[in-house]
Every structure is written in structure tokens, then in C-alpha cells.
Amino acid sequence: MSSSLIQSFIEEANSRSADFPLNNLPFGVFSEKSRPKKKFSCTAIGDKVFNLSLAEELGLISDLGFSKVLLNSFMEKGKKVRQSLRHQIQEILSENSSKKDIALNCIIPMEDCIHSMPFEIGEYTDFYSCKNHALNASKIIRGEDAGLSPNWYSLPVAYNGRKSSVVISGSDIKRPRGQIPDKETGLVAYKKTEKLDFELELGTVIGKPLEWSRTSDYRESEDLIFGFVLLNDWSARDIQSWEYQPLGPFLSKAFGTTISPWVISPEALEDFKLNPPKREIPLLPHFEDEKSYVFDINLSVKLIEDDGTETSLAKTNAKELYYSPVQQILHHSSSGSGMSVGDLLGSGTISGIEKRSRGCFLELSWGGAEPVELASGKKRSFIEDNDTVILSGVSQSEHYSIGFGDCVGKIIP
Ligand code: MN
């Protein structure tokens, strides 16, 4: 049974299709367009933002570190503090709020605001947790009969990425250069990628540190999570295929990773937990697979051409992840690597079974063999200059929605 929609005095938050009802309450860092330098921590309510830095200053909510603006100091206070703040905000913004008059001072139309990076990224790791994607990628790279390497069914494969190139939604991404061999002659040149791709992913944000050399069980790994964002792991496939052997991707995925502006809390997604897909081979006991869950989040990808023509490229769901976010953390900490506040874990590209449910161009165009037809009639195998890619996510129950907001990036020459 899913919870009911919690009614707010902000009317726009009270419909089943609203992205930001009182059931959601994501965390972000914004500024007003009229005062772009004065950033504040906030949450979203309907089509408005609620300024948490000001609410703290006015004594509306407890002192939780929002004067520092970036969310890290609040994040590390942990789950209980986050849950208690959630209840405070639900009361302050409820339809029968006794604090409505003061609360109104902290409310700003979202359209008058600019979003910025919500927290300082610790380190960035990218997984490869979706079986449909991994299997398709194997077939495209190694031929129709290729399967997954045996380790794939035993652990969530990953590589360590760069925090230096993680950017907020709306940032332009410059087409990267790299080493690319010529197919006919084999001569290698340093040039612009011709196979620029997006990757539709769910990002997990770590809110609590785990000491170096310690490992964590399922419950502790779960408690390390502060929330979730949409993540576009931009990839240059021609650079990737030359550089990745034998240690994995490097520069082909280090030139830009875009995240969405709102961090969605685990509490907001409580009603959307599902069992993970059927296991090919049972996972080792330390994965505590009997406890694992994935989330029912409808995901979509849209491409906008330079002239504004929009095409829906793909629709899929985060429930396709074979390894859950908690299991990604469990694996990450299993050798004693340690985790820090602000660490970001990408899930890996999320793809469904159907052709138009695939979360990257590599799969959608089958490596370029089957270009995708856009609404304009033009064809695309990979992203061209001035194309904009928009990832969106929303969980919907019979009573309410939990929107993620958009994760937007434009490719510039
Ligand atoms: Mn990726």
C-alpha cells in the first residue's frame, strides 16, 4: 500500500502528477536570478523552492548547517537528522501549517531561480550494473554470440572516474579530443571524437563516511546513502575502444559527467522499492541479496536538435539494475577502500529489453549499424554538435509522484 499525497498550502504541490509534493522534498542548492551569487540550500515544493538556509536563520527549522550552503555538512549528520528535518518541513508547509506566514518568506518561484552543484563531490565511481546494457555492449563490441564475462554475475564491475569533470545540469559539454585509430590504415591520430554518446544512469550520493580498511554490511551500506540523482556519463566510444584494454575506460569518460540538481532522499522513494531481477547465479552471502531492492523510477531520454526539434530517444526504468545501489556500496567497501561524504556512484547505463528502452546511442544505433531516425527526419548514430540531451526521471504511485527534475547537457564544438 502506498502512502497518500500529503497536502500543502502550496496548491501546485497537491496533484498526483506534481513532481515535488510534500512526499518528495529533495535537496538542492539554488540562487535567485536577480542575485545569482547568493546561493542557498533549499528543497522543492510544487513549482516553488523553499529556502532552507533562510528557514534556519529565521529559526523555522533546527540549526543543521544550511548556512554553509553546500549540503555536505548536513549530509553527514545522517539518516535520523534527515528524517527529522523531513517531518519538520512537512509540518511547516502542510495545508494547516501554523507557521505559514513566516514560511512564506522562504518561498520563491522555481522559475526565478538558478540551480548549482548541491554538494562537493568526494570521489566518483562508475558501475556497470545493468545486465541488458552489459549484454548488448558485449554483442556490439565482440559479436552476436558474445556473452558476459563470468565475473559480471558475481560482482558489479566498475572503474574509478574523475570528480574534476562532474558538472551540474545545464553545463555545456565540449566535444573531447583523444587518440583514435583509423579503421582502414590503423594509424592513430589525436582528434575530436566522432562517436560521442550519453549514458542514462542513476547516481547514488554518499552522506556518511566509512573509515578506510573497514567493510560494511547491508544495513550499514544502506545508511551511507544520502540520496539519488540522475547522471549522464558522457562517453567517447572511439576513444574508449582504443584505450580501455586491459585496465578499463580512462579519458573517454573523464571529460564530462552531468548530474541533475535535486538529490532525492531514500525516504521519498520508500514506496517504490521492488525486488531486483532474477539472478543467473546466486550472489555470494556478503551481498545479503535477500534484503536487496531496486527502485521503480520511470526514466526517459530526449534529444533536442539545434533548431529545437525534439525526439524521444528512449524510455526505461531503474528497476532494470541487476545490482542495487546498496549492493554497489557493499561491493565498493568490501576490500576496505573507505567511503567519503559526497562520493558519487554511477549505476552504469540503464537499458530495458526493447529497442527504444536502451540508455545510450551505442545500443540504440547498435554501434552505428542502425541509425536512429529523429523527429526531423535526420538520422543519428551518435551525438552531433549543438545537440542537447535531457534525462528525466519520475516515480509514480496511485496517489503521488516523485520527480527527479531534468539532467540536461548540450554538446558544443
Ligand atoms: Mn557509465
Side-chain angles (χ1 to χ4, degrees):
M1 266 282 285
S2 79
S3 327
S4 53
L5 173 69
I6 310 169
Q7 300 286 323
S8 168
F9 65 76
I10 303 286
E11 270 308 307
E12 292 76 9
N14 296 338
S15 80
R16 180 183 173 245
S17 60
D19 279 338
F20 304 111
L22 274 178
N23 304 64
N24 191 344
L25 299 179
F27 295 99
V29 168
F30 281 57
S31 58
E32 286 182 74
K33 283 177 183 165
S34 55
R35 289 190 294 176
K37 283 192 181 149
K38 187 155 173 54
K39 292 180 185 176
F40 51 85
S41 317
C42 57
T43 186
I45 178 74
D47 58 351
K48 314 278 193 301
V49 305
F50 180 65
N51 183 334
L52 292 168
S53 304
L54 182 59
E56 186 179 274
E57 203 181 306
L58 296 175
L60 256 181
I61 57 167
S62 342
D63 191 347
L64 298 173
F66 291 119
S67 57
K68 294 205 176 90
V69 178
L70 278 177
L71 298 173
N72 299 59
S73 58
F74 167 64
M75 283 157 64
E76 65 186 314
K77 293 193 163 58
K79 185 165 123 182
K80 282 201 177 130
V81 171
R82 186 179 69 234
Q83 289 174 341
S84 136
L85 174 68
R86 180 177 169 84
H87 292 133
Q88 283 183 55
I89 302 172
Q90 283 175 339
E91 217 173 286
I92 294 166
L93 300 179
S94 74
E95 58 178 342
N96 302 316
S97 172
S98 58
K99 295 174 176 163
K100 181 177 169 182
D101 287 349
I102 322 176
L104 283 171
N105 293 308
C106 305
I107 289 184
I108 310 156
M110 208 181 281
E111 58 183 12
D112 294 345
C113 294
I114 313 165
H115 56 249
S116 61
M117 202 52 125
F119 58 96
E120 195 193 335
I121 311 274
E123 295 183 75
Y124 166 50
T125 303
D126 197 43
F127 284 87
Y128 194 51
S129 295
C130 176
K131 187 181 148 199
N132 302 327
H133 167 71
L135 207 50
N136 280 337
S138 290
K139 288 178 178 170
I140 294 162
I141 296 161
R142 290 194 297 278
E144 264 312 308
D145 297 330
L148 293 173
S149 51
N151 68 343
W152 198 92
Y153 292 107
S154 171
L155 54 82
V157 173
Y159 63 92
N160 281 317
R162 299 280 303 173
K163 77 164 181 178
S164 58
S165 50
V166 179
V167 294
I168 193 69
S169 176
S171 309
D172 289 343
I173 302 289
K174 200 171 166 184
R175 181 174 294 272
R177 289 169 186 271
Q179 284 200 17
I180 301 167
D182 185 277
K183 255 200 175 136
E184 321 279 83
T185 63
L187 288 173
V188 181
Y190 171 66
K191 59 179 189 176
K192 282 187 178 180
T193 176
E194 289 168 6
K195 293 187 175 177
L196 186 48
D197 206 350
F198 68 90
E199 288 191 340
L200 167 62
E201 302 194 17
L202 182 68
T204 302
V205 180
I206 299 297
K208 260 174 81 177
L210 183 76
E211 220 178 301
W212 168 68
S213 86
R214 273 202 55 212
T215 58
S216 57
D217 62 11
Y218 195 93
R219 196 58 64 213
E220 196 175 0
S221 301
E222 188 178 37
D223 283 350
L224 296 184
I225 298 178
F226 175 72
F228 303 94
V229 291
L230 299 176
L231 184 150
N232 186 343
D233 179 30
W234 303 95
S235 302
R237 302 300 183 193
D238 39 12
I239 301 172
Q240 185 179 351
S241 61
W242 175 239
E243 74 173 3
Y244 88 104
Q245 298 186 63
L247 286 182
F250 184 44
L251 302 178
S252 56
K253 287 167 174 282
F255 61 91
T257 304
T258 307
I259 62 168
S260 52
W262 294 112
V263 187
I264 310 297
S265 70
E267 290 73 37
L269 294 172
E270 192 58 40
D271 283 344
F272 302 94
K273 290 178 177 173
L274 296 173
N275 289 327
K278 198 179 151 284
R279 305 316 193 183
E280 304 292 324
I281 297 166
L283 300 183
L284 288 172
H286 72 285
F287 278 101
E288 299 182 63
D289 203 26
E290 68 287 351
K291 293 180 185 154
S292 79
Y293 54 84
V294 287
F295 293 113
D296 177 10
I297 308 165
N298 293 307
L299 302 168
S300 58
V301 187
K302 206 160 61 177
L303 184 141
I304 303 180
E305 292 171 67
D306 203 17
D307 67 0
T309 314
E310 286 188 23
T311 304
S312 163
L313 284 182
K315 286 185 194 301
T316 183
N317 192 296
K319 70 182 178 191
E320 301 288 354
L321 289 173
Y322 191 90
Y323 292 98
S324 69
V326 178
Q327 288 176 326
Q328 291 161 23
I329 297 171
L330 238 169
H331 180 61
H332 204 309
S333 68
S334 65
S335 76
S337 68
M339 307 286 294
S340 303
V341 178
D343 281 359
L344 177 67
L345 313 181
S347 61
T349 307
I350 303 173
S351 295
I353 303 278
E354 309 298 321
K355 186 164 180 174
R356 288 305 276 268
S357 67
R358 298 171 182 163
C360 62
F361 260 124
L362 178 74
E363 290 173 86
L364 285 164
S365 72
W366 209 254
E370 299 165 22
V372 176
E373 188 167 331
L374 304 182
S376 63
K378 289 181 192 149
K379 304 240 170 148
R380 284 283 189 287
S381 289
F382 292 97
I383 303 167
E384 294 192 0
D385 287 345
N386 302 311
D387 282 350
T388 299
V389 176
I390 303 179
L391 313 182
S392 313
V394 64
S395 294
Q396 195 165 54
S397 75
E398 55 180 317
H399 302 299
Y400 66 92
S401 303
I402 299 293
F404 274 68
D406 291 345
C407 179
V408 183
K410 181 177 178 177
I411 295 300
I412 56 167

